[in-house]
Amino acid sequence: MEFENDGVRIEVPERAEAIANGNGKANAPSGGGSSSSSSGGSSSSGGIAAGSVAVARKSPALASPPPFFHILVKPPSPPSRLLNIMDNFSDEKKNNNSNSSSNSSSSEGEYESLPETASTSTHMIAGAVAGVLEHCVMYPIDCVKTRMQSLQPDPAARYRNVMDALKRIVRTEGFWRPMRGLNVTATGAGPAHALYFACYEKIKKTLSDTIHPGGNSHIANGAAGCVATLFHDAAMNPAEVVKQRMQMYNSPYKHVLDCMRTVWRNEGAGAFYRSYTTQLTMNIPFQAVHFMTYEFLQEKLNPHRQYNPSSHVLSGAMAGAVSAAVTTPLDVCKTLLNTQESLALNSLNISGHLSGMANAFRTVYRLGGIPAYFKGVQARVIYQMPSTAIAWSVYEFFKYFISKHHRERRSTY
């Protein structure tokens, strides 16, 4: 029989024929010595009162009888992990409160600029992952945007809005039709965005230290974005040409390699860079507005520049929407130069291949006037908002993750 209270367990062997009376006395088995038990309070039905300890007394003249009961004291259970964590957290909080300003500024500075020992390849890897995800996730909307920017579309390719376009493309041309050209885009986006973000971070830091030491300079952000665009577009422009030709309605190309061979054979290597100047003319103001808007919103939404995913997503989405709407006319001209839209050029009796920014602007105006410059603006904004939100959130996550990993490694030495 066992009794337990407050960590003390009392075991009574079953072979013991002890009979407890109302006063708490017990008789020992025959042939054994007599024993008595005392308690600090009354006991009931032979039980042992809480908080009392019964002690067996033996007669020295008799042989030691079998023990009437055993008293086993259990060690106290260790405190729970939750309490330990809470205690540690409290101590940590006290220490942090005393040094909060210095610690927060140090960690935020390390996150924002990445550790000084981080190589250029760190920026390039983070940028490449962000760029590939950005283009792949939003690729079907990009396909719709290209078609909606067509100046003389086929009657079967005239859409009311983005959702109408997606539904009709899938229904009439197949489920995978909006994804044509995705492989070449992903291939080009990796190196293009690697150069883009690495160049941006390097130039932004250099110019910011010169223009506004220890602070954020909008001029440095805009200039860094413009220079980074030169490298990005140089790597991305050939992929853009192939991608947009694959996206057009009734595209004659079977696959990406067929498109590349056909363009190279019929139009020469220069065809892959025919829209490069137009691309730069569009992307330089786009990226200047994009980076300045993003950094401005970060100052308002995330002034301490901590890792805050919601602020990165919102700032990226708003920056993409503003810059996309402002530069839509340039994007329409770029699409015309990339696709060399035959129906549009034939309607104006333009022979050969259209080239040059000025020619593209004049052609767009002749085909549709001022409204033609804003064809596909809805699809462009819908595409750019989540695209830039994805790119910035992924890139900022990698910055945070790499910085945290670097600090943990440094703390172990």
Side-chain angles (χ1 to χ4, degrees):
M1 195 182 296
E2 295 183 0
F3 303 90
E4 183 170 350
N5 184 49
D6 293 336
V8 177
R9 188 171 76 247
I10 301 175
E11 296 181 353
V12 181
E14 292 182 1
R15 73 177 185 274
E17 299 174 352
I19 303 175
N21 56 25
N23 295 325
K25 296 179 181 179
N27 295 325
S30 60
S34 64
S35 66
S36 64
S37 62
S38 63
S39 65
S42 62
S43 61
S44 60
S45 302
I48 299 175
S52 66
V53 179
V55 181
R57 292 198 297 269
K58 302 175 291 183
S59 171
L62 299 175
S64 299
F68 180 54
F69 51 72
H70 298 283
I71 299 177
L72 302 177
V73 180
K74 294 167 60 179
S77 60
S80 65
R81 292 186 63 188
L82 177 61
L83 294 177
N84 285 336
I85 292 172
M86 293 178 67
D87 291 340
N88 293 337
F89 176 77
S90 299
D91 296 338
E92 220 173 277
K93 190 173 181 181
K94 292 176 183 176
N95 296 333
N96 288 342
N97 286 338
S98 61
N99 303 315
S100 59
S101 58
S102 59
N103 289 343
S104 62
S105 61
S106 172
S107 62
E108 288 162 10
E110 287 180 354
Y111 156 67
E112 178 61 21
S113 59
L114 283 180
E116 292 181 0
T117 56
S119 63
T120 303
S121 62
T122 299
H123 299 279
M124 296 182 77
I125 292 171
V129 174
V132 171
L133 285 176
E134 169 194 352
H135 284 280
C136 290
V137 171
M138 297 305 300
Y139 192 81
I141 306 299
D142 186 40
C143 175
V144 171
K145 175 190 74 72
T146 298
R147 292 198 180 192
M148 293 184 75
Q149 287 179 338
S150 176
L151 297 170
Q152 293 288 337
D154 188 278
R158 293 175 182 173
Y159 313 109
R160 293 191 302 272
N161 51 51
V162 175
M163 289 307 300
D164 175 59
L166 274 176
K167 290 177 182 177
R168 290 176 59 184
I169 292 172
V170 170
R171 186 174 63 250
T172 60
E173 303 176 48
F175 180 79
W176 296 107
R177 186 63 178 81
M179 306 300 291
R180 288 196 77 201
L182 175 62
N183 51 351
V184 71
T185 300
T187 303
H193 280 74
L195 292 171
Y196 177 69
F197 278 106
C199 182
Y200 171 73
E201 291 283 0
K202 183 68 175 178
I203 295 174
K204 182 183 77 169
K205 187 177 186 307
T206 303
L207 292 180
S208 293
D209 291 343
T210 303
I211 298 172
H212 190 187
N216 182 39
S217 170
H218 294 301
I219 297 175
N221 298 333
C226 293
V227 177
T229 301
L230 296 174
F231 295 96
H232 172 272
D233 289 359
M236 194 66 186
N237 207 86
E240 279 284 320
V241 173
V242 175
K243 175 199 76 174
Q244 291 198 308
R245 295 199 181 206
M246 297 288 291
Q247 289 174 335
M248 292 298 288
Y249 179 75
N250 276 340
S251 175
Y253 311 106
K254 298 177 181 179
H255 46 75
V256 167
L257 291 178
D258 177 49
C259 180
M260 293 174 66
R261 284 195 295 263
T262 303
V263 172
W264 182 286
R265 183 172 59 250
N266 296 339
E267 303 176 42
F272 294 104
Y273 282 93
R274 187 178 288 127
S275 65
Y276 182 59
T277 54
T278 306
Q279 184 102 337
L280 289 177
T281 306
M282 177 191 71
N283 279 346
I284 286 177
F286 176 92
Q287 299 300 349
V289 174
H290 173 204
F291 282 109
M292 292 173 68
T293 304
Y294 179 82
E295 297 289 353
F296 172 77
L297 290 173
Q298 281 292 286
E299 285 184 353
K300 300 299 181 183
L301 301 176
N302 188 16
H304 298 295
R305 294 306 180 97
Q306 297 173 334
Y307 176 62
N308 188 339
S310 59
S311 75
H312 300 319
V313 170
L314 183 58
S315 299
M318 294 303 298
V322 172
S323 51
V326 169
T327 57
T328 295
L330 297 168
D331 193 44
V332 172
C333 296
K334 181 206 76 172
T335 299
L336 177 62
L337 290 173
N338 278 344
T339 60
Q340 297 291 310
E341 194 178 339
S342 57
L343 288 176
L345 299 182
N346 291 337
S347 66
L348 296 178
N349 296 322
I350 297 176
S351 58
H353 303 293
L354 186 69
S355 61
M357 184 68 170
N359 287 336
F361 256 94
R362 284 194 295 267
T363 303
V364 171
Y365 184 79
R366 291 171 62 189
L367 287 168
I370 297 297
Y373 291 112
F374 291 92
K375 287 180 71 69
V377 63
Q378 179 195 35
R380 179 167 164 78
V381 171
I382 291 175
Y383 166 76
Q384 285 294 345
M385 285 185 70
S387 293
T388 49
I390 291 169
W392 277 113
S393 59
V394 172
Y395 182 67
E396 296 286 4
F397 167 76
F398 268 83
K399 286 173 66 176
Y400 168 75
F401 177 78
I402 293 168
S403 301
K404 182 180 178 182
H405 179 67
H406 174 80
R407 290 196 300 272
E408 289 175 351
R409 285 188 59 192
R410 187 173 58 188
S411 65
T412 58
Y413 295 106

